[in-house]
Amino acid sequence: YKDDKLSLFNARTGQVIRSFGSSFYQLESLVLSPNGDRFAAVSDGSLYVWDIETGQSIFSETVRSLTSAGWQDNDSILAFDSGTRELLELDVVSRERTPMFSAPYKRIVRIVSSERKDRIAMIVEYDKKHNLSPFHELVVFDRQGRSYGFIQLH
């Protein structure tokens, strides 16, 4: 569809089951919650969360410079604010917003929290250097922002 909406389709019939939101100009990130009941989308710098079964919007956060998100558990999301270059924890139930740490990256492509919630893995993009293409690394952090190591992706 070309209506700029997120739509859930029946895989067998191709019919639209439900549409979410009004319009999405630039979708940056789309992630399913660990229990599969909700999904979060980052579009145009804002974060939106929906209940899949009901189609109800249950959370939104407008920051204008969010570029990626990843679920930490069923009620909290980690999101990267590229304007301040901070990793944020957003609680979709209490609506609390907690800055975690600064991350010196141009862009975080993907955020994944460990099941124990003590490690965060991110695929990060560095700025171009010497007219080379941007490059990516998989970096693992603790919750205070200390890096445990990285793997460079070419």
Side-chain angles (χ1 to χ4, degrees):
Y1 287 141
K2 297 187 182 214
D3 59 4
D4 294 332
K5 291 184 180 180
L6 293 174
S7 298
L8 177 65
F9 291 85
N10 180 309
R12 280 184 243 123
T13 67
Q15 297 295 310
V16 174
I17 298 169
R18 185 171 292 106
S19 290
F20 302 89
S22 54
S23 77
F24 293 91
Y25 176 70
Q26 184 174 353
L27 186 64
E28 296 273 352
S29 181
L30 184 65
V31 289
L32 187 64
S33 65
N35 67 4
D37 290 346
R38 302 171 178 166
F39 75 90
V42 174
S43 178
D44 305 319
S46 296
L47 174 75
Y48 306 93
V49 178
W50 286 275
D51 181 284
I52 292 175
E53 185 67 31
T54 66
Q56 293 290 321
S57 172
I58 58 173
F59 181 84
S60 66
E61 176 81 12
T62 301
V63 175
R64 296 277 180 245
S65 53
L66 290 181
T67 56
S68 58
W71 289 90
Q72 180 167 259
D73 56 37
N74 291 314
D75 293 327
S76 64
I77 296 173
L78 302 175
F80 181 65
D81 181 339
S82 64
T84 62
R85 295 192 180 202
E86 280 188 309
L87 187 68
L88 306 170
E89 182 177 11
L90 305 168
D91 189 304
V92 300
V93 177
S94 70
R95 304 202 177 281
E96 288 183 42
R97 178 181 173 188
T98 307
M100 293 181 66
F101 57 85
S102 293
Y105 306 110
K106 172 185 176 185
R107 184 167 171 255
I108 295 179
V109 179
R110 182 82 169 103
I111 303 170
V112 180
S113 178
S114 71
E115 193 172 304
R116 294 184 340 209
K117 298 185 206 173
D118 62 343
R119 301 284 187 273
I120 302 161
M122 297 187 283
I123 297 176
V124 301
E125 180 179 302
Y126 284 92
D127 293 318
K128 292 181 179 181
K129 304 261 189 216
H130 311 293
N131 294 323
L132 298 174
S133 298
F135 64 94
H136 296 84
E137 288 181 347
L138 172 67
V139 184
V140 178
F141 294 95
D142 67 9
R143 292 184 57 80
Q144 288 73 44
R146 292 184 296 259
S147 174
Y148 280 87
F150 65 92
I151 299 170
Q152 202 166 75
L153 310 171
H154 298 278

